[in-house]
Amino acid sequence: METDFNERIIIKKAPPLKGTIRIHGAKNAVLPIIAASILGQEQPSYIEEVPDLEDVRILRDALKYLGAKLSYQDDTLMIDTSTLTKTDPPKDLVQKMRASFLLMGSLLARTGHVRIYLPGGCAIGARPIDQHLKGFQALGAEIIETKEYIEASVVGRLQAATIYLDVPSVGATENIMMAATLAEGTTVIENVAQEPEIVDLANYLNTMGAKVKGAGTNVIRIEGVEKLTGARHTVIPDRIETGTYLTIAAATGSELFLQNAIGDHLRAVIAKLTEAGIDISEEDDGILVKACEPLKPLQIKTLPYPGFPTDMQAQFTALMAIAKGTSYITETVFENRYMHCKQLQKMGANISVEGRHASIVGGRTLQGTKVEMTDLRAGAAMIIAGLVAEGITEVTNLHHIDRGYVDIVGKLQQVGADIYRVRQPLEKAVYRERIQEATQRERRAILKPTFA
């Protein structure tokens, strides 16, 4: 079910939140894993902890178009690619989501041919695919590029090669890994991405029968095999979802237990929150966060893993807008990832942006107003700001948040936030008066919340 573009999220200033939030499987891990399932020529794959997100649904639809059989129940996705009939994912689906380009490596290795339209996704800056194509060409593929699509083909099997990535691109690392699993010989990929999602993909491929070593380091070695089969795999928890709720707790002075979260995947984020004065303790089955001191300003520089993740930059921008003192952020990964700053400025945040640098003079009281989600992580930043702002915040463009967070509104309601998702915008004078005066029952009738 697609997002209704007339929907809004209405947020009132939150009291300190308290309770447990369960972290879902990682979006950025499950997408390449779904794509890798194409490599399994025998028996279905069963992927557990699959989040019901818009991006996941798009990729599922793309696989169905290619001829795969899929079913989804209780967070488990069954994928049978033994019936694959096509090698050209549809344009309308590919252009909705950049991760659809991950189908290229698995289709090329499995069938010897793929044609894929140039991908879409969040408009956060240039994300060139040259490193993907460089890897495929090194493996022996012939590449044809047009303004609309890219076609790759090979006669027989791909051939192993040594490939050095000019930048440690996550997508390129994943795509080349998938292609190399069925290549003849041993492929060595150098200067690769080291994210936990890379390790998770390698674990899944190895369960399918691949021979991948070195995932999580800067060099990956893959001994090609003749075929892979379907397998059962559980997706790792979403570290960016975890980081977002950690930031929400810090902003709202809350105590939250994030069930299923893994601290090892978030060392840089946890270190910065601790530096800001937040108490974080790791337990066997999750992370406990307590905001017990006034927030301190920070200096942050986004970097490839294990550095501070660019996917947490927007959330920390919102957090630093309320921390007393001046914070500084340098964005090194994407050149256009400060679009959320204009929205925060509408709420009274004192933020100056110059190129890849942002300075935030915190301590101001934010004021609720109408803002929009400019991309996925900016959407999380708007929710954080709304939870601490005086008055009422109305957030639009919800299709962005649906791409990366499972029921963020319902999860926050369960721990005490006054946040609702509504079908139609309400006139300011009407909703301010009625929300403030309504009883809990009346409020729910007015706003039709997603979850009671």
Side-chain angles (χ1 to χ4, degrees):
M1 180 175 147
E2 294 188 0
T3 303
D4 180 349
F5 282 81
N6 286 322
E7 287 183 302
R8 307 284 195 272
I9 289 177
I10 307 297
I11 313 170
K12 289 186 68 178
K13 184 175 181 179
L17 308 176
K18 189 174 178 64
T20 297
I21 291 177
R22 185 178 181 276
I23 302 302
H24 276 78
K27 174 183 88 83
N28 291 335
V30 76
L31 295 177
I33 285 172
I34 292 173
S37 297
I38 288 173
L39 296 165
Q41 300 179 38
E42 298 176 0
Q43 72 191 46
S45 284
Y46 292 88
I47 307 169
E48 300 173 353
E49 293 294 338
V50 175
D52 188 16
L53 298 169
E54 186 173 335
D55 279 8
V56 174
R57 293 191 288 270
I58 291 170
L59 200 56
R60 283 162 45 190
D61 288 344
L63 261 66
K64 288 179 182 178
Y65 174 88
L66 297 174
K69 297 177 181 178
L70 294 90
S71 64
Y72 181 69
Q73 185 176 8
D74 298 330
D75 291 340
T76 297
L77 178 63
M78 186 283 293
I79 305 176
D80 181 356
T81 63
S82 64
T83 56
L84 214 63
T85 57
K86 298 178 182 178
T87 61
D88 57 339
K91 180 178 181 179
D92 62 325
L93 294 178
V94 170
Q95 293 186 334
K96 287 182 179 179
M97 181 186 63
R98 181 174 179 80
S100 55
F101 199 73
L102 292 171
L103 295 170
M104 195 168 186
S106 54
L107 282 170
L108 178 61
R110 164 82 182 269
T111 70
H113 175 267
V114 59
R115 186 178 70 180
I116 194 161
Y117 288 88
L118 296 178
C122 286
I124 56 177
R127 292 187 280 182
I129 56 176
D130 60 311
Q131 297 301 296
H132 302 244
L133 303 184
K134 171 184 174 179
F136 297 148
Q137 287 176 317
L139 294 171
E142 180 182 348
I143 306 293
I144 298 174
E145 295 185 63
T146 74
K147 292 181 179 180
E148 285 195 329
Y149 66 83
I150 295 172
E151 191 167 8
S153 59
V154 64
V155 177
R157 292 174 65 183
L158 295 168
Q159 299 297 309
T162 297
I163 303 162
Y164 181 88
L165 297 182
D166 297 330
V167 292
S169 161
V170 174
T173 300
E174 293 167 341
N175 236 339
I176 297 168
M177 281 173 62
M178 287 185 270
T181 57
L182 297 180
E184 188 172 4
T186 299
T187 297
V188 179
I189 318 172
E190 300 174 336
N191 194 34
V192 297
Q194 302 176 45
E195 275 78 353
E197 293 81 10
I198 301 291
V199 178
D200 205 31
L201 174 61
N203 289 338
Y204 177 57
L205 290 169
N206 287 339
T207 304
M208 297 175 76
K211 296 180 179 180
V212 181
K213 296 181 179 179
T217 73
N218 65 350
V219 179
I220 294 176
R221 289 175 170 81
I222 304 168
E223 182 182 341
V225 298
E226 291 189 2
K227 69 175 181 179
L228 299 178
T229 63
R232 184 175 291 272
H233 179 78
T234 301
V235 178
I236 59 172
D238 196 314
R239 62 192 172 97
I240 305 303
E241 183 188 21
T242 301
T244 298
Y245 287 116
L246 288 173
T247 311
I248 286 173
T252 56
S254 302
E255 180 178 336
L256 296 176
F257 180 68
L258 306 182
Q259 185 181 17
N260 202 36
I262 298 177
D264 280 345
H265 295 172
L266 280 165
R267 287 293 162 224
V269 171
I270 290 174
K272 283 299 177 183
L273 287 172
T274 302
E275 186 180 329
I278 307 302
D279 183 12
I280 297 175
S281 57
E282 299 174 39
E283 303 185 8
D284 290 341
D285 58 342
I287 298 174
L288 179 65
V289 52
K290 297 180 182 179
C292 50
E293 296 182 12
L295 288 169
K296 300 172 185 176
L298 296 172
Q299 292 190 34
I300 292 171
K301 184 178 183 179
T302 66
L303 291 167
Y305 189 88
F308 190 92
T310 180
D311 278 354
M312 285 301 304
Q313 182 256 105
Q315 298 92 310
F316 267 71
T317 303
L319 181 66
M320 292 300 96
I322 61 171
K324 290 186 178 180
T326 302
S327 297
Y328 300 94
I329 297 178
T330 299
E331 173 60 60
T332 72
V333 180
F334 295 118
E335 75 278 7
N336 193 30
R337 205 160 199 180
Y338 285 125
M339 293 185 290
H340 51 279
C341 291
K342 289 185 178 179
Q343 303 301 312
L344 291 170
Q345 287 167 346
K346 289 182 182 179
M347 303 178 73
N350 186 351
I351 304 173
S352 300
V353 177
E354 185 174 343
R356 291 179 178 264
H357 306 278
S359 58
I360 306 137
V361 181
R364 288 189 177 185
T365 299
L366 301 183
Q367 299 295 326
T369 188
K370 184 175 180 179
V371 292
E372 63 177 306
M373 298 180 178
T374 54
D375 61 69
L376 169 56
R377 305 307 173 184
M382 294 305 102
I383 290 176
I384 293 169
L387 289 169
V388 298
E390 297 292 335
I392 296 173
T393 301
E394 179 181 352
V395 191
T396 62
N397 275 7
L398 305 192
H399 64 284
H400 288 299
I401 203 78
D402 291 337
R403 291 184 50 240
Y405 294 91
V406 176
D407 188 27
I408 190 169
V409 169
K411 287 185 177 183
L412 288 172
Q413 285 178 341
Q414 291 170 4
V415 294
D418 204 347
I419 179 172
Y420 296 88
R421 188 161 177 156
V422 302
R423 294 291 179 186
Q424 297 291 338
L426 303 175
E427 294 295 334
K428 281 188 178 180
V430 173
Y431 75 63
R432 282 184 176 171
E433 180 180 353
R434 295 183 71 188
I435 290 175
Q436 289 172 353
E437 295 181 357
T439 63
Q440 185 69 11
R441 180 179 298 176
E442 289 170 339
R443 181 184 294 131
R444 294 184 179 189
I446 294 168
L447 297 180
K448 300 178 182 178
T450 306
F451 287 85

